[in-house]
Amino acid sequence: MAEPCDLSVIIPTFNEEENIAAIIDAVDGVLTQNGIRGEILVVDDDSKDRTIPIVREISGRQENVRLIVRREDHGLSQSVVEGFRSARSDILQVIDADFSHPPDLIPRFYEAIRGGADIAVGSRYTKGGDIEAWPLKRRIISLGATAFGRILFPEITDPVSGFFAVGREVVDGAPLAPRGYKILTEILGKGRWRTVVEIPFVFKDREEGASKLRAGTMVDYLRQCGGIVRFSVTRRTGPVWAEWKKVVRFGLVGLSGIFVNMGLLYALTEIAGLYYLVSAVIAIELSIVNNFVLNDVWTFRSIEFLKFKRKVSRFGSFQAVSMGGLVINMAALYLLTDVAGVYYLVANLAGVFTAFAWNYMVNRHYTWTK
Ligand code: GDD
């Protein structure tokens, strides 16, 4: 049986043969010294150097070290999400393999989450934080990315940090779809959290190996920020807007039905020579069929998984509701005109609206139900 585990330390890697053994050793040492029962999860994107055999060898002799090798959808953020999925504990720590993040700080992140914070962010830009030995170009790019992230999350000084910890419930079930490097921004945008604490740290540029940051990474980041803005707008307005969209579509379909009805009534009576009441029955029925088909393939398309048998019963239900609507319309017309003395065209308008409300609500809950 697996040992109990209080912390999962996720290390994303790509070609880190110079650093990986040392960082595992350092993280393991910090966990042991601080009495934290933790696992170390290396999530590798099919490195071309010796990273994989090195980690395999370590995990063969050290039970708390695991290796995940990914062969598809290459990316730092995607690897971290995969790490979250496989992690055994409820506190998830992310750290780079190249010692740009000091492993000695891991216990502070761990305690912050245990103390009730949802997210603990390692910050280079809060008091006590800093960056050592970065070229000017890298500083400018980072400041740009950070400034952009701070528009979305003003209360957080380093929303693009790669050094952070989260409670599992923040990310479980969150629709994370990150690309590129900025996994923390994605979590802040789409995860479930209330409290964030910041832990200052000094970012040291790697001594071994090379950064994998590319120009495309910035494009990914901008796209990701756009996705987060869209997500938060939809999260607030989505369900209401989706329902109104259906109401508007249902109304437009109803309007098309009026044209079908009037056109057929005219054609069957004037051209085919049928008695006008016979034409009216055919016209009403065919406009109901018209409305059903359009509502089925358009208005409620997102709800139904169309199966023939169900479709027949949906039509039966729609037909019955429409007849009910017709009765409501007629009853309103009669009562308002004859009993209340309202002008008959105004009364009819009230009847049409009442029937529309009936048709929409009853069909929404009985005909096109999930
Ligand atoms: N699995 C996987 N897949 N890991 C990757 C990939 C990838 O495609 N690219 C990079 N890594 C791993 C590296 O092996 C290293 O452990 C860590 O991710 C950071 O990679 P670097 O390429 O060294 O990142 P950086 O120093 O440029 O960027 C760091 O700082 C940024 C803030 O300025 C990272 O921590 C970023 O997450 C952070 O946003």
Side-chain angles (χ1 to χ4, degrees):
M1 210 170 92
E3 291 284 303
C5 177
D6 299 325
L7 175 69
S8 297
V9 180
I10 295 159
I11 311 180
T13 54
F14 186 61
N15 294 344
E16 292 290 354
E17 63 182 6
E18 297 97 333
N19 296 309
I20 192 63
I23 190 82
I24 291 176
D25 195 40
V27 170
D28 192 47
V30 170
L31 297 179
T32 311
Q33 277 159 26
N34 290 275
I36 302 171
R37 295 176 302 187
E39 63 170 347
I40 300 172
L41 207 52
V42 177
V43 189
D44 187 87
D45 258 339
D46 205 10
S47 289
K48 302 303 167 215
D49 65 0
R50 298 199 61 254
T51 306
I52 294 174
I54 293 171
V55 181
R56 277 221 174 98
E57 190 275 317
I58 300 172
S59 64
R61 63 181 151 80
Q62 220 173 302
E63 217 188 313
N64 67 336
V65 177
R66 284 199 283 145
L67 169 68
I68 297 173
V69 179
R70 304 172 72 244
R71 307 211 190 268
E72 281 162 21
D73 195 22
H74 187 109
L76 166 51
S77 295
Q78 295 93 309
S79 301
V80 171
V81 172
E82 178 109 22
F84 291 161
R85 270 191 224 116
S86 316
R88 286 174 45 222
S89 82
D90 289 336
I91 302 182
L92 312 163
Q93 169 84 52
V94 180
I95 185 169
D96 285 356
D98 57 4
F99 286 92
S100 43
H101 305 149
D104 328 347
L105 287 183
I106 289 176
R108 286 197 52 197
F109 287 79
Y110 174 68
E111 289 307 332
I113 303 291
R114 270 173 36 114
D118 295 313
I119 307 180
V121 175
S123 174
R124 299 161 291 172
Y125 299 112
T126 194
K127 195 163 172 275
D130 204 351
I131 297 174
E132 263 180 20
W134 251 10
L136 184 65
K137 185 174 144 209
R138 185 74 205 267
R139 271 179 199 269
I140 293 172
I141 293 177
S142 172
L143 276 175
T146 307
F148 206 80
R150 284 181 75 170
I151 297 173
L152 298 179
F153 310 104
E155 70 277 35
I156 296 160
T157 60
D158 198 351
V160 297
S161 175
F163 192 24
F164 63 90
V166 292
R168 177 176 288 288
E169 62 287 356
V170 174
V171 291
D172 259 5
L176 302 178
R179 316 233 44 95
Y181 267 41
K182 309 305 180 194
I183 174 66
L184 176 61
T185 318
E186 185 81 0
I187 294 171
L188 290 168
K190 298 185 181 170
R192 275 183 296 269
W193 57 272
R194 279 162 181 268
T195 45
V196 172
V197 296
E198 293 201 308
I199 296 170
F201 81 101
V202 179
F203 185 103
K204 294 200 175 65
D205 203 12
R206 56 165 72 234
E207 286 173 8
E208 303 292 343
S211 166
K212 284 92 193 170
L213 191 93
R214 302 280 169 270
T217 312
M218 287 312 287
V219 178
D220 280 339
Y221 175 56
L222 293 180
R223 277 215 204 109
Q224 187 182 7
C225 288
I228 289 170
V229 171
R230 266 198 309 281
F231 175 81
S232 63
V233 171
T234 320
R235 176 150 66 177
R236 277 183 211 123
T237 59
V240 177
W241 167 236
E243 199 57 44
W244 276 106
K245 207 158 100 181
K246 290 190 183 72
V247 174
V248 169
R249 287 183 174 185
F250 196 80
L252 290 175
V253 169
L255 216 56
S256 81
I258 292 177
F259 283 103
V260 171
N261 183 300
M262 297 291 276
L264 281 173
L265 180 60
Y266 176 82
L268 293 173
T269 311
E270 300 296 331
I271 302 169
L274 293 183
Y275 179 54
Y276 83 98
L277 283 181
V278 176
S279 305
V281 171
I282 299 172
I284 288 173
E285 187 50 38
L286 288 181
S287 65
I288 289 177
V289 172
N290 167 83
N291 291 5
F292 172 74
V293 171
L294 291 180
N295 281 322
D296 211 50
V297 300
W298 188 50
T299 312
F300 297 109
R301 185 186 49 188
S302 57
I303 297 177
E304 271 307 316
F305 310 101
L306 306 171
K307 285 201 191 120
F308 184 67
K309 213 167 151 214
R310 283 278 292 128
K311 198 180 190 85
V312 170
S313 73
R314 282 204 299 281
F315 180 67
S317 162
F318 185 74
Q319 173 86 38
V321 176
S322 301
M323 297 321 265
L326 208 63
V327 171
I328 289 174
N329 197 339
M330 300 308 279
L333 177 61
Y334 171 76
L335 288 174
L336 287 174
T337 310
D338 266 45
V339 182
V342 176
Y343 182 53
Y344 79 99
L345 286 181
V346 176
N348 191 43
L349 205 61
V352 167
F353 274 108
T354 318
F356 177 82
W358 154 272
N359 279 343
Y360 182 79
M361 293 204 292
V362 181
N363 277 312
R364 176 75 178 87
H365 291 288
Y366 291 102
T367 311
W368 284 282
T369 184
K370 270 190 218 174

